[in-house]
Amino acid sequence: MSTQVIIVFTIAVLMIIGFSCGKFSYPAVAVSVIVVLEVSGILSAKEAWSGFASTTAILFASMFVLSAGLAKTSLLTKLAGLIVPEGSSERRAVIGCGLLSIFLTMFSNTSSTMATLMPVCFNVAEKAEISPKRLLKPAVDLSSIWAAVLPVGLGLTAYSVSNEMVASLGGEPTFTMLTFMIARLPIVLLITLFIFIIGYRFTPENYDNLDFSLDKGGKGSKNEEKRLSPGKEKLTYIIFCAAIVAMMVSNYIRIVSASTCAAIAALLMVFTGILNEKEATRAINLKVIGIYAGTISLASGISASGATEVISDFMNNMLGGLTNPYLIAFVLVLATSLCTQFMNNSSTLNVFRILGAVVAVACGFDARAAIIAVEMGATCSVLLPTASATQAMVFAQGGYTVKEYLKAGIPIFILYMILYMVWVPNIFPAL
């Protein structure tokens, strides 16, 4: 194991400790990771700080501005009233926000889904007289596990990418458009029911460290005094809806990226006078972007240092001697789901998808079993804020502690593993 690999693994451990102890600013810990990766020579300055200029960071910033514009309208208050009518229970609020999260995820990505949904969660929580923490974590976890489940949006291309990868390695491409849906849909449906009935109760009820910058439409707020005119309110709806539709379409027609669509819409909010410059600037949560940039830098460091090869070699050696299809499936899904808690789910999926295909072809496994395990493991990013950019965003905005995050995520994680082992190895056995 090289010195750089040891340094990267040490940085990852220290980052988790820094997040967990609660004594340090989360963005400061994340930025420290960037600095150490650059100073140690593992990443160049451009690579280390690239998270701040990435398309996801631009998407976050733009969606925060769009959400601020939307918060000046009466829509969030009306939507909160629709989700939580008078006399509704806490569970009704969780189910309403959860279903909205699932719907948006089906046609977009998790980042834009949660950036859109967070101000709604704050408004619904205010109306239901509960902590926003009770709604944000269930919503982001549902968005994570429902990503690309149905053959729409990103889910439409997953089978084609897998077939091409397996074929390029000399294996037999057996994926169809419905393969991933057959494997994942029964599991995510049961997980969704669990969250709606029991799971949300593991989330914190306190209001500690909450960032209420997104809750701009509540009673007595300054924005209540600065409501938009009817004409500008309609214009806000048009800009916001056009942005969401454009981002959805960008998944199919790659002329303009989703982040560019969001940036154009954010600029229109300012140019049309819906938001002034100060309001737009104040809406951008730099804490969220800082944590995201740090986790992306760590993921890049893991890749650049050769740590992924160490993990890959370890997994290849372990799986090469196994003949039990259930054990093969368990090792693959568990390894991927644990790594995704530290590596960012997109990075984990890209690394382990290749590993799964290589192992399947080399060992004579059914490629569907291996790559489905990787796909499901990578989307089970529910334990730590480092698991995905979206989890980092919700973690920062929701003011959670790592302990609170683990308490809410562990029951989902365990149930996910159990349901996977009961269902997938029987439908798509490795041997």
Side-chain angles (χ1 to χ4, degrees):
M1 190 180 297
S2 70
T3 303
Q4 286 194 338
V5 172
I6 294 173
I7 291 172
V8 165
F9 283 150
T10 303
I11 291 171
V13 172
L14 291 176
M15 183 177 184
I16 298 303
I17 293 173
F19 280 167
S20 302
C21 70
K23 294 182 178 180
F24 306 105
S25 160
Y26 296 139
V29 172
V31 172
S32 297
V33 169
I34 299 174
V35 172
V36 173
L37 287 170
E38 182 191 346
V39 171
S40 63
I42 295 172
L43 296 177
S44 67
K46 183 178 180 180
E47 292 169 332
W49 298 94
S50 62
F52 286 103
S54 68
T55 55
T56 302
I58 294 168
L59 178 63
F60 280 168
S62 301
M63 289 305 299
F64 282 136
V65 173
L66 287 175
S67 297
L70 196 65
K72 293 185 72 173
T73 70
S74 59
L75 179 64
L76 295 183
T77 303
K78 292 176 180 176
L79 192 57
L82 183 65
I83 293 175
V84 189
E86 291 298 329
S88 294
S89 64
E90 179 182 65
R91 182 176 295 159
R92 169 66 184 263
V94 174
I95 292 173
C97 290
L99 291 177
L100 191 53
S101 176
I102 293 169
F103 175 77
L104 291 172
T105 301
M106 289 297 97
F107 301 100
S108 187
N109 57 51
T110 56
S111 297
S112 56
T113 291
M114 288 310 301
T116 303
L117 190 59
M118 282 198 298
V120 177
C121 289
F122 274 93
N123 277 266
V124 169
E126 181 183 17
K127 185 171 179 60
E129 297 182 345
I130 59 175
S131 169
K133 291 184 177 184
R134 298 288 268 184
L135 305 179
L136 290 169
K137 187 66 168 73
V140 72
D141 287 346
L142 286 169
S143 182
S144 296
I145 65 172
W146 274 90
V149 168
L150 301 181
V152 295
L154 296 176
L156 192 61
T157 62
Y159 85 97
S160 178
V161 171
S162 300
N163 276 337
E164 289 176 8
M165 193 171 293
V166 172
S168 68
L169 294 168
E172 184 179 354
T174 53
F175 290 85
T176 69
M177 191 181 296
L178 300 179
T179 298
F180 289 105
M181 186 184 78
I182 292 169
R184 296 179 59 196
L185 186 58
I187 294 172
V188 298
L189 283 173
L190 290 173
I191 294 289
T192 301
L193 288 175
F194 169 76
I195 290 174
F196 287 165
I197 298 171
I198 301 171
Y200 75 91
R201 296 181 182 274
F202 292 94
T203 57
E205 297 181 275
N206 63 65
Y207 290 77
D208 299 346
N209 305 315
L210 272 162
D211 185 347
F212 284 95
S213 62
L214 288 181
D215 182 22
K216 296 179 171 68
K219 277 186 178 182
S221 69
K222 292 180 181 179
N223 280 293
E224 193 172 38
E225 301 168 5
K226 299 179 181 179
R227 287 294 184 193
L228 300 172
S229 66
K232 282 192 175 181
E233 180 154 337
K234 289 178 183 178
L235 182 58
T236 303
Y237 297 151
I238 292 171
I239 293 173
F240 190 88
C241 291
I244 298 301
V245 171
M247 285 189 286
M248 291 177 182
V249 172
S250 70
N251 289 323
Y252 302 92
I253 305 172
R254 299 188 179 277
I255 298 175
V256 180
S257 67
S259 57
T260 302
C261 295
I264 292 171
L267 288 171
L268 286 174
M269 288 279 189
V270 177
F271 288 147
T272 56
I274 294 167
L275 293 172
N276 60 42
E277 184 181 348
K278 286 184 178 180
E279 289 172 328
T281 303
R282 193 166 55 244
I284 299 172
N285 192 322
L286 295 177
K287 181 168 69 172
V288 171
I289 296 173
I291 292 175
Y292 161 73
T295 58
I296 287 299
S297 183
L298 179 61
S300 300
I302 289 172
S303 178
S305 66
T308 51
E309 284 76 11
V310 173
I311 297 170
S312 177
D313 290 342
F314 176 76
M315 291 294 298
N316 212 352
N317 292 333
M318 178 185 291
L319 291 170
L322 298 180
T323 56
N324 186 312
Y326 289 94
L327 188 55
I328 293 167
F330 179 71
V331 170
L332 274 171
V333 75
L334 183 63
T336 309
S337 58
L338 289 177
C339 284
T340 201
Q341 310 307 324
F342 303 93
M343 284 177 60
N344 185 288
N345 61 346
S346 297
S347 302
T348 305
L349 178 58
N350 291 331
V351 170
F352 276 81
R353 184 188 278 154
I354 297 171
L355 172 62
V358 170
V359 168
V361 174
C363 301
F365 302 157
D366 186 330
R368 292 176 298 180
I371 296 181
I372 286 170
V374 168
E375 186 92 14
M376 295 189 71
T379 55
C380 190
S381 50
V382 299
L383 293 179
L384 294 169
T386 50
S388 72
T390 318
Q391 291 286 2
M393 176 172 62
V394 170
F395 178 78
Q397 197 79 47
Y400 295 93
T401 64
V402 171
K403 182 179 178 181
E404 289 172 343
Y405 235 63
L406 285 170
K407 182 181 177 182
I410 285 174
I412 298 172
F413 185 88
I414 293 173
L415 181 59
Y416 197 93
M417 293 297 111
I418 293 172
L419 292 174
Y420 168 86
M421 290 305 300
V422 169
W423 175 249
V424 177
N426 292 302
I427 303 301
F428 298 104
L431 295 170

